[in-house]
Amino acid sequence: MTAPNSLPDRLEIGRLTFEVAPRPARRTLEITVERNASLSIKAPSGVTVDQIERFVAVKQDWIYRKLAEKDAFLGTPVVKQLVNGEGFAYLGRSYRLLLVDDQSAPVRLEHGRLKMRRDLVGDGASMIQAWYQAAGQRWVPKRVMPWAARMRAAAVGVRVTGLGYRWGSTRGRDRINIHWATLQLPPSLIDYIIVHELAHVHEPNHTAAFWERVERAMPDYEARMVQLAERGSFVWTGQTAGEQV
């Protein structure tokens, strides 16, 4: 058996990263989802990496649910290369990047390809983020309208912007913010994020009343919440490596 002090400080299991905290006095493994959505695992004396991996596999659905309740996405950062053929998701579908020599817009989705001007590759990550943000600002408010009417939040405004590791946020009763990165997800999961934030318009905290409000609007929210946590670790948030040569 492996001694606790031989365990690594961090373990990557699937798309999840755990801080390992040896606890010789414990008898069982324990996973904790921290307030900032980071993960830690407390390991008793003699536990091996294989045992931890099996424990995580059993607890995977619970972990994803807890991460989704934190309204955060987490995992090893997705890195993109700004080269021909790199895939970028939009509304759940993948589109290949095509560098072009001449077009009026810096980035454009056209004929099944995400086209970007070749001379802008050096600043390409911010250009693509700006495209997602602009596309989201056109698409998301229309998607919000029927949900807002159903949830008695019809007067709420919508802003698509960067939100760090958060899917969305709510500002008082008059605005919800949605991360531009959500535009990579299927519409059904974006709907869950929208409903989640609209529920916060009335219930600021994740109380029982909050989840009841979410469930009334979206009875299958739990399934979507778990799917969101699973898919969220594959969402690109702006990191790139390499350039076209």
Side-chain angles (χ1 to χ4, degrees):
M1 300 291 280
T2 303
N5 58 11
S6 70
L7 291 173
D9 294 333
R10 291 164 63 89
L11 275 176
E12 290 191 11
I13 303 173
R15 296 288 300 176
L16 301 172
T17 300
F18 296 85
E19 298 290 334
V20 179
R23 294 290 189 272
R26 289 189 59 85
R27 292 191 175 186
T28 59
L29 287 162
E30 180 183 356
I31 295 170
T32 302
V33 182
E34 306 293 349
R35 183 167 296 183
N36 66 353
S38 65
L39 300 170
S40 65
I41 189 159
K42 296 173 184 175
S45 179
V47 165
T48 66
V49 170
D50 285 346
Q51 287 174 317
I52 292 175
E53 289 177 343
R54 289 196 296 270
F55 183 72
V56 169
V58 170
K59 294 290 187 179
Q60 184 170 277
D61 285 349
W62 178 86
I63 294 167
Y64 280 131
R65 176 185 170 84
K66 290 299 180 183
L67 286 174
E69 287 176 355
K70 301 285 185 185
D71 192 24
F73 49 95
L74 187 71
T76 305
V78 174
V79 177
K80 298 287 188 181
Q81 294 191 352
L82 300 181
V83 298
N84 284 325
E86 180 65 278
F88 287 86
Y90 178 64
L91 299 182
R93 297 182 59 187
S94 182
Y95 296 89
R96 297 296 179 183
L97 182 66
L98 178 64
L99 302 180
V100 298
D101 293 321
D102 183 39
Q103 69 178 12
S104 58
V107 179
R108 174 182 295 162
L109 184 61
E110 186 177 53
H111 304 308
R113 301 296 291 269
L114 186 66
K115 298 181 178 180
M116 183 173 70
R117 280 173 35 193
R118 193 183 307 273
D119 62 318
L120 299 176
V121 165
D123 197 28
S126 63
M127 294 292 177
I128 295 174
Q129 290 175 46
W131 176 81
Y132 275 118
Q133 190 166 328
Q137 199 61 60
R138 293 189 297 271
W139 188 87
V140 174
K142 296 176 184 176
R143 197 77 179 187
V144 168
M145 287 177 62
W147 291 111
R150 184 182 306 180
M151 298 177 71
R152 299 181 181 178
V156 74
V158 182
R159 183 186 179 203
V160 178
T161 187
L163 293 173
Y165 68 89
R166 301 294 302 276
W167 290 118
S169 65
T170 305
R171 194 191 72 175
R173 292 179 173 268
D174 61 357
R175 190 176 80 196
I176 64 171
N177 301 308
I178 302 295
H179 199 309
W180 61 263
T182 64
L183 273 294
Q184 298 166 64
L185 297 166
S188 63
L189 300 187
I190 300 175
D191 283 346
Y192 167 73
I193 295 167
I194 290 169
V195 168
H196 187 111
E197 297 309 325
L198 289 173
H200 276 312
V201 171
H202 300 284
E203 301 288 344
N205 301 311
H206 291 147
T207 61
F210 169 86
W211 292 113
E212 288 170 5
R213 191 176 291 271
V214 171
E215 186 173 24
R216 283 198 300 272
M218 182 177 281
D220 66 341
Y221 83 93
E222 288 189 336
R224 299 196 203 200
M225 184 169 63
V226 171
Q227 291 171 31
L228 174 62
E230 293 171 343
R231 294 286 293 264
S233 61
F234 295 94
V235 165
W236 178 68
T237 58
Q239 294 199 32
T240 61
E243 295 183 1
Q244 177 77 2
V245 295

